């Protein structure tokens, strides 16, 4: 049996106020899509940040392995170089740095190789077309003056251009109208199809999942993974909520 792309073993994490994640165990295979759901304050974003190496969260127990390598103590930039990606729930605005320059620099950092500018621009144009983004946004400062929908599209644009092995999408669909959700979903679907990337999708809304094949669904309550099921679990949660899991 092939080794999972990502393994999380007995993971606990804390901030100054105390422990937030309690003995998380999770395995994600190559090309798989996992969905993480749970009530507000359950620790879903905390898990995403911890997996990505956010220094605000301290791992107090357990391991995070990527392709069998222990990355628990690696910084976020080193994890990104190894093929991890996190899209932010609320993307930051960065005046003075264009979207195109940001992506170009990120690819250089990710690969450690010089870019072929013609090829880069061609791929950028194609990816922006998939996401129905106005090409002029490439020359605008990163997220400055972008609508909520355009910020989320810019995050998926980075996903398509960086081609990570494993991506964490944190509430990518929050605040999007129906059309924008469909467009973002197309971008995610393209990432899966072209690069066989693995996904952990953190979401409250399930519209973004409609065009995606979900392999596993996980429920997080009070910092603990309390239940794992297949794609049908999403429908069950939509109909009945999290009450039975909170009482378990």
């Amino acid at each position: 049996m092939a080794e999972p792309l990502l393994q999380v073993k007995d993971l606990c994490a804390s901030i100054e106020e105390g422990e937030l994640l309690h003995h998380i165990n999770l395995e994600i295979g190559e090309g798989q899509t996992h969905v993480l759901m749970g009530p507000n304050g359950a620790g879903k974003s905390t898990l995403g940040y911890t997996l990505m190496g956010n220094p605000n969260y301290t791992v107090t127990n357990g391991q995070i392995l990527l392709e069998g390598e222990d990355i628990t103590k690696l910084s976020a930039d080193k994890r990104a170089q190894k093929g991890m990606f996190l899209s932010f729930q609320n993307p930051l605005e960065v005046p003075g740095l264009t979207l195109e320059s940001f992506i170009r620099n990120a690819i250089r950092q990710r690969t450690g190789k010089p870019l072929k500018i013609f090829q880069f621009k061609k791929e950028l144009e194609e990816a922006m077309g998939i996401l129905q983004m106005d090409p002029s946004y490439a020359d605008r400062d990163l997220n400055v003056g972008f609508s909520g929908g355009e910020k989320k599209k810019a995050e998926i644009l980075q996903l398509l251009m960086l081609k990570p092995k494993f991506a964490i999408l944190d509430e990518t669909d929050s605040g999007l109208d129906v059309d924008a959700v469909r467009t973002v979903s197309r971008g995610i679907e393209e990432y899966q199809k072209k690069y066989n990337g693995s996904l952990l999708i953190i979401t409250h809304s399930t519209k973004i999942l409609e065009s995606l094949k979900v392999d596993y669904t996980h429920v997080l309550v009070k910092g603990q993974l309390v239940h794992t099921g297949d794609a049908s679990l999403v429908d069950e949660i939509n109909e009945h909520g999290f009450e039975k899991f909170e009482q378990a």
Side-chain angles (χ1 to χ4, degrees), residues 10 13 52 66:
D10 205 30
M52 196 65 216
L66 184 69

Side-chain angles (χ1 to χ4, degrees), residues 43-91:
K44 301 183 296 298
S45 293
T46 296
L47 178 57
Y49 289 137
T50 302
L51 293 178
M52 196 65 216
N54 186 315
N56 292 326
Y57 301 90
T58 302
V59 173
T60 56
N61 188 76
Q63 290 178 298
I64 303 167
L65 291 90
L66 184 69
E67 296 184 308
E69 178 185 353
D70 190 342
I71 62 168
T72 313
K73 295 182 180 180
L74 289 187
S75 59
D77 63 316
K78 297 297 184 186
R79 298 185 198 202
Q81 287 174 0
K82 290 185 178 295
M84 293 183 69
F85 175 92
L86 170 65
S87 79
F88 293 100
Q89 187 172 343
N90 298 300

Side-chain angles (χ1 to χ4, degrees), residues 21-37:
L21 298 177
H22 315 294
H23 304 285
I24 303 291
N25 289 283
L26 180 65
E27 291 188 353
I28 298 178
E30 184 179 355
Q32 288 185 345
T33 296
H34 290 234
V35 174
L36 182 65
M37 304 183 75

Side-chain angles (χ1 to χ4, degrees), residues 96-169:
L97 179 66
T98 67
L99 174 59
E100 180 178 331
S101 294
F102 175 78
I103 293 174
R104 192 167 63 237
N105 290 332
I107 293 173
R108 284 200 191 103
Q109 291 293 321
R110 160 93 166 86
T111 64
K113 299 176 183 177
L115 276 178
K116 296 179 180 178
I117 298 301
F118 176 78
Q119 182 66 27
F120 167 79
K121 286 185 174 292
K122 181 182 177 184
E123 286 189 21
L124 184 65
E125 183 179 346
E126 289 174 355
M128 293 185 83
I130 291 167
L131 296 169
Q132 299 178 1
M133 290 184 73
D134 186 327
S136 67
Y137 274 75
D139 298 319
R140 291 178 58 175
D141 289 357
L142 180 61
N143 293 326
V144 177
F146 288 24
S147 68
E150 294 298 341
K151 286 181 179 180
K152 297 302 177 74
K153 287 182 182 181
E155 292 281 292
I156 302 304
L157 179 65
Q158 294 164 43
L159 174 72
L160 290 172
M161 293 299 294
L162 286 164
K163 311 177 182 83
K165 298 171 185 173
F166 171 63
I168 304 161
L169 306 184

